[in-house]
């Protein structure tokens, strides 16, 4: 043990708690983690203040009727550190995050807005590099950036660059994706390897090496969703498991639908480098963020055809059935282990890895 570590451990004032208390009178990092603290903030502060039936559904995006059309509308803010990481940048995230939120409503994103909050002193070339990445990502996702805004804050009051994007797209007729449609018997499918983005961010942020470079899975999922809906519009719910990872997403759906979810651990695709990194660091891949994966709850009658369509698409080549919906333990997610045991996969309190998107 190093002398620095000894000093740190001997000083209780330097200790930190990885799971903040639930009765915090002030905002803590866990409130932005996509777990229980985030849910409480939304349910007890924002939802009562804003009201509205559409907001109460708390989806990745809102599906609303306007002028005879069914629109999906979403907004997201990005504060990732560092700005550039293996496999992407804050610019890629700003496009793909909003495109994917719209796709989870079944919509193909059409138009995005883009707001930059810049810290005084950031290099113009860094801003230009992020802007180029954002533009390239928009073209790759076949979406147009049509409006935007720029603000500058004083040095020391930001982290270089923060970005907000909002987007709209059309929801095809007959598509109704929401947790309330989930029923016992539904099959749970994940589109590929989980945990990749969070571990990629952590590796560069902390200067860790795991033998191979792990790249973020940041990518647009609108094409994959189109391929799935071409098989059948009767998908029950789609979600992209970002903050809080697969565990948080499954818990949110189980709670909203008042059903139980059973996951078979040995079927969940976790690449070896991610599994090894998580084992070393004491993390559970189920709770690590993703930026290019989706979870689908599909009626069993359509599951095989949907899975085949996913595997035929580049963004779903590693798709796998990982579980099913059951009547037992409503609102709870249970994992069956490789040894035949069971464990509860709970909603995380805060977040294992903050500032990952």
């Amino acid at each position: 043990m190093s002398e620095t570590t000894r000093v740190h451990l001997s000083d209780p004032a330097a200790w930190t708690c990885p799971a903040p208390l639930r009765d915090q009178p002030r905002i803590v990092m866990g409130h932005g983690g996509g777990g229980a603290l985030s849910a409480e903030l939304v349910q007890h502060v924002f939802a009562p203040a804003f009201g509205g039936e559409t907001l109460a559904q708390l989806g990745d995006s809102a599906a609303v009727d306007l002028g005879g059309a069914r629109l999906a509308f979403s907004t997201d803010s990005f504060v990732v550190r560092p700005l550039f990481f293996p496999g992407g940048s804050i610019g890629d995230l700003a496009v793909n995050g909003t495109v994917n939120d719209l796709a989870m409503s079944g919509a193909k994103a059409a138009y995005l807005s883009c707001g930059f909050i810049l810290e005084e002193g950031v290099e113009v070339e860094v801003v230009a590099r992020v802007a180029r990445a954002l533009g390239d990502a928009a073209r790759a996702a076949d979406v147009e950036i049509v409006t935007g805004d720029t603000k500058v804050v004083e040095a020391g009051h930001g982290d270089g660059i923060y970005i907000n994007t909002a987007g709209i797209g059309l929801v095809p007729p007959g598509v109704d994706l929401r947790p309330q449609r989930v029923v016992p018997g539904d099959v749970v499918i994940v589109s590929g390897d989980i945990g990749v983005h969070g571990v990629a961010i952590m590796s560069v942020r902390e200067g860790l090496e795991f033998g191979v470079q792990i790249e973020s899975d940041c990518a647009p999922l609108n094409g994959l969703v189109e391929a799935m809906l071409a098989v059948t519009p009767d998908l029950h719910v789609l979600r992209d498991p970002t903050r809080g990872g697969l565990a948080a997403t499954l818990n949110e759906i189980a709670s909203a639908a008042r059903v139980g979810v059973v996951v078979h651990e040995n079927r969940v695709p976790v690449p070896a480098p991610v599994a090894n990194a998580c084992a070393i660091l004491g993390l559970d891949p189920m709770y690590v963020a993703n930026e290019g994966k989706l979870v689908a709850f599909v009626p069993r009658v359509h599951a095989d055809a949907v899975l085949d369509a996913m595997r035929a698409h580049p963004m779903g080549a590693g798709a796998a059935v990982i579980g099913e919906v059951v009547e037992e333990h409503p609102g709870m997610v249970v994992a069956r282990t490789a040894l035949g045991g069971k464990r509860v996969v709970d909603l995380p309190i805060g977040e294992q890895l903050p500032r990952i998107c």
Side-chain angles (χ1 to χ4, degrees), residues 21 53 56 63 73 83-84 145 171 184 199 206 222 243 256 313 334 341:
L21 297 176
E53 294 181 3
F73 177 44
L83 298 176
F84 304 94
I145 300 168
V171 180
V199 172
E206 306 299 337
N222 48 348
R243 296 174 302 165
H313 191 279
V334 172

Side-chain angles (χ1 to χ4, degrees), residues 9-65:
L9 293 178
S10 65
D11 179 12
W15 296 356
T16 60
C17 176
L21 297 176
R22 300 285 286 275
D23 60 350
Q24 285 284 346
R26 299 179 185 273
I27 296 296
V28 296
M29 290 300 294
H31 282 112
L37 285 173
S38 292
E40 290 175 0
L41 186 66
V42 170
Q43 292 167 4
H44 299 301
V45 176
F46 297 130
F50 302 156
E53 294 181 3
T54 302
L55 178 65
Q57 296 180 23
L58 299 179
D60 286 341
S61 62
V64 296
D65 294 308

Side-chain angles (χ1 to χ4, degrees), residues 52-177:
E53 294 181 3
T54 302
L55 178 65
Q57 296 180 23
L58 299 179
D60 286 341
S61 62
V64 296
D65 294 308
L66 184 65
R70 187 71 168 161
L71 294 179
F73 177 44
S74 184
T75 186
D76 208 343
S77 299
F78 301 88
V79 297
V80 65
R81 180 173 59 86
L83 298 176
F84 304 94
F85 46 83
S89 70
I90 191 172
D92 300 281
L93 282 174
V95 170
N96 294 334
T98 297
V99 165
N100 292 347
D101 282 348
L102 293 172
M104 298 308 105
S105 291
K108 181 178 179 181
Y111 302 108
L112 296 184
S113 70
C114 179
F116 274 75
I117 300 175
L118 307 176
E119 183 182 12
E120 180 185 22
V122 67
E123 295 87 349
V124 172
E125 176 51 34
V126 172
V127 179
R129 185 180 169 193
V130 169
R132 288 193 295 269
L134 197 151
D136 289 344
R139 285 182 284 274
D142 193 23
V143 63
E144 186 177 357
I145 300 168
V146 293
T147 188
D149 181 53
T150 304
K151 294 292 189 295
V152 177
V153 298
E154 297 87 348
H157 291 266
D159 199 15
I161 299 174
Y162 297 151
I163 299 176
N164 172 274
T165 50
I168 57 173
L170 286 172
V171 180
V175 174
D176 182 16
L177 299 173

Side-chain angles (χ1 to χ4, degrees), residues 304-332:
D304 289 342
V306 170
L307 184 63
D308 288 343
M310 294 175 72
R311 288 175 172 171
H313 191 279
M315 291 294 101
V321 173
I322 63 168
E324 58 274 337
V325 178
V326 296
E327 293 182 356
E328 296 79 17
H329 51 78
M332 184 180 296

